[in-house]
Amino acid sequence: MFHLSPWRTGLATVTLLLAPALSACSSHRPPLYYWKGYQDQVYNTLSQKADPATGIAVLERGIAQAQSKNRIPAPGYYAELGYLYAQIGRANQARDAFEKEKSLFPESTPYMDRLLHTMTGESAAPAPTAPAPSSSSNPAARS
């Protein structure tokens, strides 16, 4: 017959009693960003299962829902919307969407700027490059 020591029995009892109490103390946090409709729409766009107008309607509805819940649309949400606007020739709305993406997610600025330059027909700004090492700091150059 299996027998637990009193110490293990007490530990098991405390664990069983505290587990529900501790889990009740944790609060449920909503996701950081609002994703509804975004992932499916990106899939449909890439697999050409939906036309741009349908995608725009889905994303605009998702943005309205996010705003009504005081949530931020996921990274890329406005970029995808801008891309769809650009596909059907709504350049001003595309520009606004790209600017909104930049304001919400500053790390997207280089990519959004490149899309804006491409959309306006200007040549894209060159990507920043690292400075070349000077010959004084290169031991091989001294010989």
Side-chain angles (χ1 to χ4, degrees), residues 1-142:
M1 179 160 186
F2 185 69
H3 179 49
L4 290 175
S5 69
W7 182 83
R8 286 190 179 185
T9 303
L11 181 61
T13 303
V14 169
T15 302
L16 288 173
L17 292 175
L18 285 179
L22 292 176
S23 66
C25 292
S26 70
S27 62
H28 173 69
R29 294 179 122 187
L32 186 57
Y33 301 113
Y34 189 82
W35 292 90
K36 187 168 183 168
Y38 174 67
Q39 293 168 310
D40 290 337
Q41 181 50 46
V42 169
Y43 174 78
N44 289 336
T45 298
L46 294 175
S47 63
Q48 299 176 342
K49 291 183 177 182
D51 63 301
T54 302
I56 289 169
V58 168
L59 293 176
E60 286 177 340
R61 188 174 31 239
I63 289 170
Q65 290 171 350
Q67 289 171 342
S68 73
K69 297 176 182 195
N70 287 332
R71 304 277 305 283
I72 299 172
Y77 216 109
Y78 281 99
E80 179 70 12
L81 182 60
Y83 170 73
L84 294 174
Y85 281 142
Q87 279 189 322
I88 62 171
R90 291 162 71 178
N92 289 337
Q93 288 174 298
R95 186 176 305 103
D96 291 346
F98 292 151
E99 292 295 338
K100 183 70 172 181
E101 182 77 18
K102 285 170 42 174
S103 71
L104 290 173
F105 307 102
E107 65 276 12
S108 71
T109 297
Y111 183 58
M112 293 297 102
D113 286 346
R114 189 169 295 271
L115 291 177
L116 287 164
H117 285 295
T118 301
M119 189 177 73
T120 58
E122 300 171 13
S123 62
T129 57
S134 67
S135 60
S136 61
S137 65
N138 185 352
R142 284 188 234 149

